[in-house]
Amino acid sequence: MTEMPQTTAPPTTRGGSPPRNPLRQLLAASVGNAVEWYDWYAYTFLATHLARQVFPPGAGNSLVPLLSTFAVFAVGFFMRPVGGLLLGAIADRRGRRTALTVTILLTGGSSLLVGVTPTYAAAGVLAPVVLVAARLLQGLSVGGEFAASTTFLVESARPGRRGLFSSFQYVSTSIGQLAASGMAALLVALLAEDDMNSWGWRVPFLLGAVLSLVGFWIRRGAEETRTAHATRSSRPGLFDALRHHPKASLLICGITAGGTLAYYTWTSYLPTYAELETGIAKADALLAGTVSLAFFAVLQPIGGALSDRFGRKPSLLFFGLGFAVLVVPLLHALDGSFRSLLLVQCAGMVLLTGFTSISAAVNAEIFPARVRAAGIGFPYSLTVALFGGTAPYLGTLLKDLGRPGLFPWYVAALCLVSSAVYLRLPERAHEPLDR
């Protein structure tokens, strides 16, 4: 693999022990991660506006532009395994901090590109081509972000705190998503429909490009979590993790499949599902999503801390079996009211916390430090692409085919499969982390 130039000052390390200022490490990982996910989710919340401007209208079918928009959403997910592999390898070879600074710059570029995407009326087929290019770049960045920030967060934790630190992966993700949801709701409330369609949808993406520079500046001051000696002496090949740890790679796929489908169903697709299935007003759907996400962010440290005390398996089984049993009745409980959507979303968030609060810790505890970032990044991102990224598209497609009731059962089945994996998962919460 080609060596990358150092983009920051030489990192400081302390013999492989946790960094001296773990709270600063949390800030560096969390701020950058929040910016990454603000940019990613702004696309989801503004999907209907993008559909009208960037894609041609479908003849006789109003769902065609929306389906096209969600298809591009899925395309971005399929670049995530590439980002997880390439940028994860950079994190293993050049250090976690170097990879984190690269991902935040990629995010800024992709956000700017979405913000300046031409409309279909002005540029024809070039408009969706530019949007696809931006989403591919976003996918590359987000895949690398998870690989690098997962290892960075967990390696920054002191003994007995890996679950707690792990939870900030989704605290910051939720903050980014809340910011995107709040920005979308604010624009919808303040702008007329014509203004929102013509230029308002561009504002969140242009702001994301500016915020990425802030994240880059903060990350430059972070402390590297691997020793300079370990980074120099350990130069794993691009596919070393897959070649030498195939069972661990498959294990991450099984752990992640149900969790990522449930997560993207609940946090990304549920407002659209409620709109299509019950006719709830867009403003009510966005507000319910915003409130439930704030609730979700508060739950994460609680879930992480509980796993540090009682272990990872009870939390994972709480999520997997809970979703397998309850997802169908929860989605059937939607009746078109704000109250029902909010209660359903919050109930799902409680269950989801069993997975999201400790996902980073569980993954990091599976691989040795030498190949940890790339080892996590590729199988995790591939699984997210296959099951999480396709959730909005599949749900909308089943609605278009007149079979929307199949989607909840699909979610339940995959959560049950992951639960079988959780039952056989070794418990490593109280074991030392390989550094």
Side-chain angles (χ1 to χ4, degrees):
M1 180 175 174
T2 303
E3 296 289 341
M4 288 196 59
Q6 193 78 10
T7 59
T8 61
T12 57
T13 53
R14 301 175 61 238
S17 62
R20 288 165 292 191
N21 191 342
L23 293 180
R24 184 176 179 180
Q25 300 291 97
L26 275 180
L27 177 64
S30 299
V31 170
N33 198 48
V35 173
E36 291 267 3
W37 289 99
Y38 163 85
D39 178 63
W40 184 261
Y41 281 113
Y43 184 94
T44 305
F45 290 119
L46 296 167
T48 54
H49 299 285
L50 279 162
R52 297 189 189 105
Q53 295 299 306
V54 180
F55 294 96
N61 190 342
S62 62
L63 283 179
V64 169
L66 185 59
L67 280 169
S68 300
T69 310
F70 280 140
V72 177
F73 182 75
V75 164
F77 272 89
F78 280 93
M79 278 300 288
R80 289 178 62 168
V82 179
L85 184 63
L86 295 180
L87 293 169
I90 291 171
D92 289 331
R93 291 167 62 87
R94 303 290 293 175
R96 318 309 191 200
R97 192 181 65 168
T98 298
L100 288 173
T101 56
V102 172
T103 61
I104 200 70
L105 290 177
L106 288 175
T107 293
S110 63
S111 188
L112 180 63
L113 195 56
V114 175
V116 300
T117 297
T119 64
Y120 187 85
V125 71
L126 179 63
V129 168
V130 171
L131 184 62
V132 168
R135 288 299 293 177
L136 291 175
L137 191 58
Q138 283 179 331
L140 185 73
S141 171
V142 170
E145 172 69 20
F146 186 87
S149 64
T150 291
T151 54
F152 182 82
L153 269 175
V154 177
E155 289 173 353
S156 295
R158 298 184 188 243
R161 292 291 183 268
R162 292 199 301 266
L164 177 62
F165 269 56
S166 168
S167 69
F168 281 86
Q169 182 81 26
Y170 278 91
V171 170
S172 55
T173 297
S174 300
I175 290 172
Q177 192 170 355
L178 278 169
S181 174
M183 176 63 72
L186 181 65
L187 289 171
V188 169
L190 294 179
L191 297 180
E193 185 73 8
D194 289 343
D195 289 336
M196 188 67 195
N197 286 328
S198 62
W199 60 268
W201 63 270
R202 300 180 185 275
V203 173
F205 300 106
L206 298 176
L207 178 60
V210 175
L211 291 174
S212 68
L213 296 178
V214 177
F216 172 75
W217 176 74
I218 292 173
R219 283 184 165 180
R220 289 185 73 242
E223 184 178 340
E224 178 56 67
T225 58
R226 293 200 72 196
T227 64
H229 172 73
T231 303
R232 284 194 304 268
S233 62
S234 177
R235 299 288 185 180
L238 191 61
F239 297 101
D240 273 12
L242 290 172
R243 185 164 55 246
H244 299 302
H245 305 278
K247 290 183 179 179
S249 299
L250 289 175
L251 188 59
I252 284 188
C253 293
I255 291 168
T256 306
T260 188
L261 175 60
Y263 177 76
Y264 282 101
T265 296
W266 235 250
T267 62
S268 295
Y269 179 59
L270 191 55
T272 301
Y273 178 88
E275 286 181 53
L276 295 175
E277 198 65 22
T278 69
I280 190 173
K282 180 182 297 294
D284 286 344
L286 284 172
L287 179 58
T290 302
V291 174
S292 63
L293 275 171
F295 175 64
F296 181 65
V298 171
L299 291 175
Q300 299 311 295
I302 299 172
L306 287 173
S307 79
D308 284 329
R309 181 168 184 180
F310 299 109
R312 317 292 188 220
K313 287 179 68 171
S315 295
L316 291 172
L317 288 169
F318 170 74
F319 153 71
L321 296 177
F323 244 91
V325 172
L326 295 176
V327 64
V328 174
L330 282 173
L331 290 181
H332 284 167
L334 295 172
D335 61 10
S337 68
F338 171 80
R339 180 175 176 272
S340 72
L341 178 56
L342 180 61
L343 289 175
V344 166
Q345 282 202 284
C346 287
M349 296 305 194
V350 173
L351 295 172
L352 265 175
T353 297
F355 170 78
T356 54
S357 64
I358 59 172
S359 175
V362 171
N363 291 337
E365 289 163 355
I366 290 174
F367 279 96
R370 179 177 178 271
V371 293
R372 180 170 290 139
I376 293 170
F378 181 73
Y380 176 87
S381 296
L382 180 62
T383 308
V384 171
L386 290 173
F387 299 106
T390 57
Y393 183 82
L394 180 60
T396 307
L397 180 62
L398 288 172
K399 168 67 176 177
D400 192 39
L401 296 175
R403 304 298 298 273
L406 292 179
F407 185 73
W409 288 105
Y410 166 62
V411 178
L414 202 58
C415 287
L416 191 61
V417 170
S418 284
S419 295
V421 177
Y422 304 153
L423 281 171
R424 300 179 60 84
L425 187 68
E427 181 61 74
R428 295 191 172 104
H430 304 116
E431 297 178 5
L433 183 70
D434 172 57
R435 297 184 181 277

